[in-house]
């Protein structure tokens, strides 16, 4: 890409933006013929003002257009842009299983390699590296889909389906974090279907958990509550063989998402009941664990108690729950979980009007996992609220964070 003439790079990025030459020309205020000549190298781009204008229309760092690495501040965070969202969408819209009826399936990657790549993707998510993950997801989705298609009807079919189900769940959670709720719902829904072929009820349980998260993000709290509780009831431990750490973790995670949906509705009785059930499940584990990538355990139950209080507008209660947190256990959780909690508590302090402490919590989350704060629409809303309530000039760290996130001071 670096060796390409600038006209070819313009054509490449215009195509990635799914713009016709005519649409691109209209946005630039140029003719289609002018665009065509630039892309073919017949016309030179020798004015930086025009190059910058093209980069602006393409929503692109001008350094990329010039064939160089983007110049970023050392502490900047690279989130996701609309092109990357569209690439993930395109991967989700593939129907390789149907194509396999008519054409030979593509050569799949080896399942051990896929398993390693999926594990790495999960850890990337749980370390809140959303931009990195978003750029890896299209290929990961295509590889997992190819493996699922190629191994259908073989002894490895359930393993391949399991991996594809996991990749759909990674995509669902990542897209939801970045505000792409409908795509998150689609990916979660795909995972439910694939999980049935994987013959793994716990994978189906975590897929349901992802769907419910997407529904809640779309404002569909009641359906989210119903689906969480329904599947949790099916996975509820009923005997010694049902009390494995894996099953307790998935069951508990479903209950905790039910807690959040009930809190959104304002159903305090259900919140209490589900938290009690989650606490009982957590007691069956040896501390906080990460089976099926749930991060479930006593500490995560505590974090959801605080988060539910925030959802119900009980900022003071959320702060009190935070102040009783076992910080040693909390420090062992992965960065995404901890930074998410700091965002919740920032909301709690904002609810009680303590702008200074709200800012501290937001900055603490940013130091721990910048993408969890800088890439999430929810965090932008919290920061905007903090800035509105701040008298005079905000502290320098808050002003710098606002600048990085594009939130007006």
């Amino acid at each position: 890409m670096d060796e390409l003439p600038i006209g070819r790079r313009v054509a490449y990025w215009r195509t990635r933006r799914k713009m016709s030459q005519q649409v691109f020309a209209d946005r630039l205020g140029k003719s289609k013929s002018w665009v065509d000549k630039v892309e073919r190298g017949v016309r030179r781009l020798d004015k930086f003002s025009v190059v910058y204008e093209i980069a602006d229309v393409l929503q692109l760092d001008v350094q990329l257009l010039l064939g160089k690495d983007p110049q970023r501040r050392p502490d900047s965070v690279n989130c996701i842009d609309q092109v990357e969202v569209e690439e993930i969408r395109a991967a989700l819209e593939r129907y390789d299983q149907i194509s396999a009826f008519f054409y030979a399936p593509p050569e799949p990657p080896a399942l051990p390699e896929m398993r390693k790549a999926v594990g790495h993707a999960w850890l990337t998510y749980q370390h809140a590296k959303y931009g990195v993950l978003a750029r890896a997801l299209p290929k990961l989705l295509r590889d997992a889909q190819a493996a699922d298609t190629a191994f259908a009807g073989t002894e490895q079919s359930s393993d391949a389906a399991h991996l594809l189900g996991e990749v759909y769940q990674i995509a669902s959670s990542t897209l939801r974090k970045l505000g792409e709720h409908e795509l998150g719902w689609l990916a979660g829904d795909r995972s439910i279907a694939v999980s049935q072929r994987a013959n793994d009820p716990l994978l189906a349980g975590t897929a349901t958990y992802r769907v419910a998260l997407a529904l809640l993000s779309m404002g569909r709290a009641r359906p989210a509550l119903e689906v969480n509780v329904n599947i949790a009831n099916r996975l509820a431990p009923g005997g010694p063989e049902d009390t494995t750490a894996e099953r307790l973790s998935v069951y508990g995670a479903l209950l905790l998402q039910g807690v959040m949906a009930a809190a959104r509705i304002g159903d305090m009785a259900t919140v209490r009941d589900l938290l009690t059930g989650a606490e009982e499940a957590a007691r069956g584990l040896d501390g906080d664990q990460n089976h099926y990538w749930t991060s479930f355990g006593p500490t995560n139950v505590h974090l959801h108690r605080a988060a539910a209080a925030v959802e119900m507008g009980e900022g003071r209660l959320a702060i009190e729950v935070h102040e009783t947190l076992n910080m040693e256990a909390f420090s062992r959780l992965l960065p995404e979980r901890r930074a998410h909690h700091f965002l919740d508590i920032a909301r709690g302090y904002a609810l009680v009007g303590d702008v200074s402490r709200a800012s501290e919590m937001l900055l603490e989350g940013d130091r721990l996992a910048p993408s969890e704060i800088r890439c999430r629409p929810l965090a932008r809303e919290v920061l905007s609220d903090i800035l509105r309530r701040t008298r005079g000039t905000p502290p320098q760290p808050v002003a710098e964070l606002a600048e990085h996130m594009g939130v007006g001071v």
Side-chain angles (χ1 to χ4, degrees):
M1 186 69 181
D2 291 353
E3 295 80 17
L4 290 179
I6 189 169
R8 292 280 299 280
R9 285 195 291 272
V10 170
Y12 170 80
W13 287 106
R14 174 185 60 77
T15 302
R16 283 192 63 177
R17 293 303 193 251
K18 294 185 168 40
M19 288 186 204
S20 66
Q21 283 189 336
Q22 186 63 62
V23 168
F24 183 48
D26 291 345
R27 293 183 182 180
L28 282 171
K30 303 287 187 180
S31 67
K32 180 181 176 184
S33 173
W34 184 91
V35 170
D36 182 64
K37 288 177 181 177
V38 165
E39 293 185 349
R40 289 189 292 113
V42 175
R43 187 182 187 101
R44 293 181 60 189
L45 284 175
D46 49 10
K47 290 185 178 180
F48 275 107
S49 60
V50 176
V51 173
Y52 275 95
E53 189 177 357
I54 289 172
D56 186 55
V57 169
L58 294 174
Q59 298 180 322
L60 187 69
D61 190 305
V62 72
Q63 299 298 319
L64 279 175
L65 196 57
L66 294 171
K68 302 175 183 178
D69 289 332
Q71 295 176 348
R72 295 192 179 99
R73 293 168 62 161
D75 56 350
S76 68
V77 173
N78 191 9
C79 296
I80 186 173
D81 68 18
Q82 200 56 39
V83 171
E84 290 151 354
V85 170
E86 290 305 316
E87 288 181 347
I88 296 171
R89 185 192 302 276
L92 287 171
E93 289 173 348
R94 290 164 62 93
Y95 289 90
D96 288 349
Q97 294 89 346
I98 299 298
S99 300
F101 282 111
F102 307 102
Y103 307 104
E107 186 68 26
L111 289 186
E113 292 177 11
M114 273 296 306
R115 197 169 291 111
K116 185 183 296 184
V118 171
H120 181 264
W122 273 121
L123 288 174
T124 303
Y125 172 78
Q126 293 192 324
H127 282 82
K129 305 290 186 182
Y130 304 135
V132 173
L133 186 53
R135 280 174 281 285
L137 270 172
K139 182 179 186 304
L140 190 59
L141 280 162
R142 290 191 295 270
D143 286 349
Q145 289 162 340
D148 181 55
T149 300
F151 291 114
T154 71
E155 291 182 356
Q156 296 173 296
S157 62
S158 61
D159 289 342
H162 199 288
L163 288 171
L164 178 57
E166 289 190 66
V167 175
Y168 280 140
Q169 290 189 39
I170 296 167
S172 177
S173 290
T174 305
L175 289 162
R176 179 186 58 82
K177 288 277 191 181
L178 298 168
E180 297 291 335
H181 305 314
E182 291 189 3
L183 273 183
W185 176 84
L186 173 63
D189 187 67
R190 288 280 179 84
S191 183
I192 289 178
V194 172
S195 299
Q196 295 178 44
R197 289 195 285 104
N199 195 30
D200 185 345
L202 298 184
L203 184 67
T206 55
T208 303
Y209 167 96
R210 312 292 169 187
V211 167
L213 277 168
L215 287 172
L216 188 59
S217 297
M218 291 190 291
R220 304 279 293 161
R222 194 164 295 281
L225 173 60
E226 291 172 357
V227 72
N228 273 308
V229 172
N230 181 35
I231 302 304
N233 286 339
R234 293 171 185 264
L235 293 176
E241 69 279 3
D242 294 336
T243 55
T244 63
E246 291 83 358
R247 189 177 187 120
L248 286 172
S249 295
V250 175
Y251 168 69
L254 285 162
L255 292 181
L256 289 181
Q257 281 313 304
V259 165
M260 299 309 299
R264 183 75 60 85
I265 297 168
D267 186 348
M268 176 62 84
T270 300
V271 167
R272 284 196 299 265
D273 288 346
L274 295 179
L275 276 171
T276 298
E279 285 175 338
E280 184 177 344
R283 282 195 293 270
L285 300 176
D286 184 17
D288 298 288
Q289 300 186 20
N290 198 21
H291 297 292
Y292 279 76
W293 308 97
T294 57
S295 292
F296 182 73
T299 309
N300 207 357
V301 174
H302 199 89
L303 302 190
H304 278 78
R305 185 181 295 280
V310 172
E311 283 295 331
M312 292 185 290
E314 298 287 346
R316 179 59 59 195
L317 175 59
I319 294 164
E320 290 172 359
V321 172
H322 170 70
E323 289 173 345
T324 63
L325 183 59
N326 181 334
M327 295 307 295
E328 183 180 350
F330 178 68
S331 67
R332 290 195 292 267
L333 295 180
L334 287 161
E336 180 273 336
R337 265 296 68 220
R338 287 184 282 155
H340 189 149
H341 175 68
F342 284 125
L343 177 55
D344 285 333
I345 300 307
R347 294 170 66 198
Y349 276 113
L351 283 171
V352 300
D354 191 338
V355 175
S356 176
R357 290 289 287 152
S359 300
E360 288 177 20
M361 292 295 103
L362 208 57
L363 291 169
E364 189 64 35
D366 183 62
R367 282 189 288 270
L368 179 65
S371 290
E372 179 67 16
I373 304 302
R374 303 187 188 190
C375 297
R376 293 196 62 191
L378 176 60
R380 290 174 59 86
E381 293 175 15
V382 175
L383 181 56
S384 295
D385 186 38
I386 288 172
L387 293 172
R388 279 194 303 270
R389 296 173 182 230
T390 300
R391 295 181 179 179
T393 304
Q396 184 179 351
V398 176
E400 289 178 355
L401 180 59
E403 181 186 350
H404 285 301
M405 294 174 65
V407 177
V409 177

